[in-house]
Every structure is written in C-alpha cells, then in structure tokens.
Amino acid sequence: MAALCLDFLGFQEALKKMRDVDDKIIYALNNALPTESFKGQGQVNTEGTCRDLYSKLQQSHLSRQDSIRSCITISANNLKQLREKREAQPDDVDIDSQFKAEQRKLRVLQAELNVEDIIKERTYKTFNERCRSYFHAGQ
C-alpha cells in the first residue's frame, strides 16, 4: 500500500475497494440473517454469521486505518524534505509548487481518517441493529 501513497488517485481507488465491506453491510446482513418471520425455520447459525462478519469488519477497518496512517507518515516526511528544499531555494517555483501540492495531499489524507471514523460508526450501528440479539462484540 505504501507504493500507492505516491499515486494518490490509486490510493483513493484502493480505499474505495477496501470500503466495499462497509458499503454492502446491509446486503450482507439481509442475506445472512433470517427475518423475524423466518427465525424459527432453517439451520442458520446467526451467532457465527454475526461473529464472522464482525471479524471481517474489524480487520477491514484496522487495515484501512493503518494504510491511511502509513500514507500520512510518508506524506509528512515528503513535506518536511520539501520544506527544507524550499527554505534552501526560496525562489524555485517548482519546489514551491511541489510543497503546496504535498500540503494539500497531507490534508486530504488526514481528512480520510475522519471519513473512516464516520464510516466505521455507521457500519457498526447497522451491524448492532441486526446482530445484537445474536452476538455481542467482545465476547
């Protein structure tokens, strides 16, 4: 994922794919869990299904957060190097342009952490609404 940090559009595309599990949480829960009218029928292991889905969600969230933080670190280091170059060559327009571009990239990456928090909150809310009768996180 670190190589993708250099290609910001590629990084955003990878994040989008990684967020697929969150985007499809309702679909996954509807397909995996019985509705009220079908609760007594069939052989669905609802606790196991909820446990597995919770595990996938946790892994996905941790992986994305680690990827974003890794890119933030890389960008911050690049920004530091560009700042030093900029101070050494204050009249160099290219370095100034690179510095400003890296600043914007770093801000967007930091905003992605906030987006992650919102997505995570929304996903766990949906998960808990459907799985609270069968599975309690931390068990």
Side-chain angles (χ1 to χ4, degrees):
M1 194 71 165
L4 280 176
C5 295
L6 302 176
D7 173 19
F8 189 67
L9 292 176
F11 176 76
Q12 286 184 317
E13 187 63 33
L15 263 182
K16 183 180 177 185
K17 287 178 185 174
M18 292 170 76
R19 288 175 174 155
D20 202 38
V21 69
D22 291 84
D23 294 338
K24 295 181 179 174
I25 184 76
I26 292 172
Y27 178 78
L29 288 167
N30 285 343
N31 282 333
L33 301 176
T35 60
E36 285 297 319
S37 58
F38 289 102
K39 264 190 181 171
Q41 303 172 10
Q43 300 295 322
V44 178
N45 178 0
T46 51
E47 180 186 349
T49 300
C50 288
R51 186 179 305 282
D52 291 345
L53 186 54
Y54 184 77
S55 177
K56 282 182 187 177
L57 290 172
Q58 281 188 309
Q59 289 170 352
S60 177
H61 293 154
L62 186 61
S63 174
R64 290 193 317 252
Q65 193 169 27
D66 287 348
S67 296
I68 294 168
R69 286 194 172 142
S70 173
C71 286
I72 286 173
T73 300
I74 290 169
S75 183
N77 289 336
N78 289 343
L79 192 61
K80 181 180 176 187
Q81 291 172 356
L82 287 167
R83 181 177 287 121
E84 291 168 0
K85 285 182 183 178
R86 188 176 177 214
E87 289 170 0
Q89 301 169 342
D91 296 330
D92 191 326
V93 176
D94 288 337
I95 291 175
D96 190 53
S97 177
Q98 290 173 4
F99 176 80
K100 289 177 181 175
E102 196 65 38
Q103 272 185 322
R104 285 189 296 273
K105 180 178 170 183
L106 182 58
R107 277 190 222 112
V108 171
L109 287 168
Q110 290 168 334
E112 283 296 334
L113 282 178
N114 293 330
V115 170
E116 270 306 302
D117 287 342
I118 292 166
I119 290 171
K120 193 169 150 180
E121 184 179 316
R122 183 197 73 195
T123 300
Y124 283 126
K125 180 178 185 271
T126 302
F127 174 85
N128 287 326
E129 285 172 357
R130 289 293 306 275
C131 280
R132 72 174 167 252
S133 301
Y134 313 109
F135 170 76
H136 297 284
Q139 291 182 339

